[in-house]
Amino acid sequence: MSQFKFSVGPWNVHAGADSYGPPTRQEIDFDTKLAKFAELGFSAIQFHDDDAVPNINDYTEEQIKEKARELKKKLDKYGLAAEFVAPRLWMDEHSIDGGFMSTSAEDREYAMWRAYRSIDIARELDCDMIVLWLAREGTLCAESKSPVWATRQLIEAINKMLAYDPKIRVCIEPKPNEPIDRSICGTMGHVMAISAATIDPSRVGGNLESAHAILAGLDPAHEIGFALAMGKLMTVHLNDQNGIRYDQDKTFGVENLRAAFNQVKVLKENGYGSHGEYVGLDVKAMRTTTDEDCYKHLENSLKIFRALEKKVDRFDYDFQKKCVETRDFEALEMYVMNLLMGID
Ligand code: XUL
Ligand code: MN
């Protein structure tokens, strides 16, 4: 029996538009996605604040909570939990130059408003986690802001969130670049340092996305392991990425099966999920994918994860131990290759 439960965000099923071309598939409405996510075996949904409450700017704080309560009823109908709420601090005109570390005081205030509203929504959805993907937090022009000031702004914003709600946990999803040029919090190491500098480090952790680690030139399994060692891996965004180029959000495991195997292995060996953590996916269908196949990348990611979980179950730890004792890493490496290729 698998120890894992899976989560997904509504943006994982999208119409295929990119920076260079218009949509290639029909938009699918939110309720249809929810029903399909439940049918595919997902247990929880990841939300941006405006996935949960579209047009959030148009409502009062009370109206936003009311809308969130309506959404909760919908989730209950499908037996789905809410995993997290993430303030979307990159689409609004107030977030052109970032959110918490924007150079405009008015825009920083707007970013805090979105962060507080995300917390309000989370509480109504019976969830205690806010994810911060810090899309535009950094510089496009290196001399435009001080990295010292910007880092302190982030710590101050997180402290305000922790003070606003004594139960809320803040989970930073690091990414080294895109859409920003130089990010302020690019890796899990940065996240751990920020956590330690806040007023309650036990409530500040990380969300490791495989593609983001690869974009930083790092190994996703080691980034996961680092956060696990600190007791601060709050969730993951599994996917895949072909080297250092635009963020691809490919189906989990399709570019580097061995790296994917090691992500499943480190999660499984360390009892990930035993405190209610979900295995989150953050995957995108290709632009060429048809309407009929628009959930295939999710189905395939789940299939690959589960197949790799079986490989981890079969992993021969006695043989590994022997190889380590004799330092026969050639044999250990070939053993892993054979395991993955299905050669006994
Ligand atoms: C962007 C990314 C986001 C976050 C959620 O690279 O991964 O989708 O996961 O805001
Ligand atoms: Mn992500």
Side-chain angles (χ1 to χ4, degrees), residues 11 48 86 90 133 173 175 209 212 237 247 282:
W11 66 91
H48 294 110
W90 55 94
W133 171 49
E173 180 179 337
K175 184 175 181 182
E209 174 162 326
H212 297 178
H237 265 178
D247 188 1
D282 194 1

Side-chain angles (χ1 to χ4, degrees), residues 11-12 46 48 84 131 133 173-175 207-210 212 236-239 247 249 281-283:
W11 66 91
N12 280 199
Q46 315 161 11
H48 294 110
F84 65 69
V131 161
W133 171 49
E173 180 179 337
K175 184 175 181 182
N207 171 11
L208 192 279
E209 174 162 326
S210 326
H212 297 178
V236 290
H237 265 178
L238 298 188
N239 56 20
D247 188 1
D249 297 335
L281 298 181
D282 194 1
V283 290

Side-chain angles (χ1 to χ4, degrees), residues 143-202:
E143 296 77 18
S144 67
K145 49 184 95 149
S146 150
V148 176
W149 174 85
T151 304
R152 288 180 181 154
Q153 287 300 123
L154 176 60
I155 295 164
E156 199 182 304
I158 294 172
N159 283 343
K160 284 184 188 161
M161 293 170 73
L162 296 172
Y164 179 75
D165 184 322
K167 291 248 161 57
I168 210 75
R169 296 181 300 146
V170 176
C171 175
I172 306 175
E173 180 179 337
K175 184 175 181 182
N177 63 290
E178 201 209 31
I180 206 71
D181 180 11
R182 292 168 173 82
S183 155
I184 283 295
C185 188
T187 70
M188 209 33 103
H190 292 85
V191 173
M192 296 301 123
I194 295 282
S195 168
T198 64
I199 53 172
D200 189 353
S202 72

Side-chain angles (χ1 to χ4, degrees), residues 108-135:
R108 292 200 296 278
E109 206 175 299
Y110 174 78
M112 282 317 302
W113 186 82
R114 292 287 291 253
Y116 293 142
R117 298 300 71 78
S118 296
I119 296 173
D120 293 346
I121 294 168
R123 303 308 295 182
E124 296 296 343
L125 298 181
D126 207 14
C127 99
D128 69 351
M129 186 156 72
I130 298 299
V131 161
L132 299 181
W133 171 49
L134 301 165

